[in-house]
């Protein structure tokens, strides 16, 4: 479990995540497991007061990890983050995406982002499609990591690899190879009142398992 003070003009909020372990069937399939956390801007005092200036950028980082007890790498990770209505969506900037020892170069000011990263795991080549988008009507941030199988000519099939051991995020082994993150910054709206609490929770799903927050 992880938690953070994600506070607005002055006040407190929190973003946390917990993990659950699926019920073990008679035959246990290979599967990924996901402990996660989210951190926000550091504040002052027990209520985590921060400046509410519209010039202030609040930094957020969503961390995810394939548990050391998982039996397979993750092929797919989906993140949704409902941004607080006190935040100015026009100031949203994606600042970082990474997993294992891979760090993507994100151009300054990026709000929506798509890329494909060639991968090899368990001797199998595949593509990793990464996409981020912010819905300016609802304030919902969506980030997806999706492993895509290649055909015999090396072209993407649009389908996940059939081998469950071919995934982009292996079980964490203490080296950071099973960890990933998405980071962004955003400012509060101008005129937000003193004492306003800003909070949001990121929901993360691994390989179609139960969504956790």
């Amino acid at each position: 479990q992880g938690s953070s003070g994600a506070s607005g003009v002055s006040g407190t909020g929190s973003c946390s995540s917990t993990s659950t372990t699926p019920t073990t069937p008679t035959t246990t399939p290979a599967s990924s497991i996901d402990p996660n956390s989210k951190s926000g801007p550091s504040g002052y005092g027990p209520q985590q007061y921060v400046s509410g200036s519209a010039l202030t950028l609040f930094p957020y980082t969503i961390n995810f990890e394939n548990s050391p007890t998982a039996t397979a790498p993750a092929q797919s990770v989906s993140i949704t983050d409902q941004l607080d209505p006190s935040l100015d969506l026009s100031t949203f900037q994606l600042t970082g995406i990474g997993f294992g020892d891979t760090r993507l170069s994100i151009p300054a000011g990026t709000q929506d982002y798509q890329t494909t990263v060639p991968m090899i795991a368990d001797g199998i080549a595949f593509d990793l499609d990464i996409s981020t988008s912010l819905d300016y009507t609802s304030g919902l941030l969506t980030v997806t990591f999706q492993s895509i199988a290649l055909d015999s000519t090396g072209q993407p099939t649009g389908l996940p690899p059939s081998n469950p051991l071919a995934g982009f995020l292996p079980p964490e082994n203490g080296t950071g190879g099973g960890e990933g993150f998405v980071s962004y910054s955003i400012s509060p709206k101008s005129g937000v009142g003193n004492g306003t609490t800003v909070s949001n929770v990121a929901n993360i799903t691994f390989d179609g398992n139960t969504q956790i927050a």
Side-chain angles (χ1 to χ4, degrees):
Q1 180 175 347
S3 63
S4 67
S7 42
V9 176
S10 57
T12 61
S14 65
C15 305
S16 64
S17 60
T18 57
S19 61
T20 58
T21 303
T23 301
T24 304
T26 302
T27 300
T28 305
S31 62
S32 57
I33 303 175
D34 49 325
N36 309 284
S37 67
K38 181 176 181 181
S39 62
S42 298
Y44 299 94
Q47 293 184 303
Q48 294 292 289
Y49 288 102
V50 296
S51 169
S53 168
L55 300 178
T56 300
L57 283 173
F58 291 172
Y60 289 95
T61 301
I62 302 167
N63 298 291
F64 55 93
E65 175 189 293
N66 196 1
S67 172
T69 62
T71 55
Q75 293 185 340
S76 173
V77 174
S78 176
I79 301 169
T80 56
D81 189 353
Q82 182 63 60
L83 303 185
D84 191 279
S86 295
L87 297 173
D88 183 352
L89 300 183
S90 69
T91 67
F92 174 88
Q93 296 184 60
L94 187 67
T95 55
I97 296 177
F99 55 93
D101 59 3
T102 298
R103 299 292 182 270
L104 302 183
S105 178
I106 309 297
T110 295
Q111 295 186 319
D112 293 330
Y113 181 79
Q114 293 82 36
T115 193
T116 298
V117 180
M119 301 287 297
I120 296 179
D122 202 43
I124 300 172
F126 59 93
D127 283 348
L128 177 63
D129 286 351
I130 302 173
S131 175
T132 75
S133 63
L134 177 62
D135 186 320
Y136 289 91
T137 300
S138 66
L140 183 67
L141 173 66
T142 302
V143 184
T144 59
F145 298 77
Q146 179 61 62
S147 302
I148 300 294
L150 305 179
D151 63 20
S152 59
T153 67
Q155 296 302 306
T157 65
L159 300 173
S162 58
N163 188 332
L165 299 182
F168 79 99
L169 197 70
E172 173 56 23
N173 62 3
T175 67
E179 299 175 343
F181 72 91
V182 175
S183 62
Y184 63 88
S185 64
I186 191 168
S187 295
K189 291 178 178 177
S190 60
V192 173
N194 185 47
T196 299
T197 296
V198 178
S199 63
N200 55 329
V201 175
N203 296 297
I204 306 175
T205 304
F206 274 41
D207 290 332
N209 293 324
T210 302
Q211 185 181 76
I212 66 173

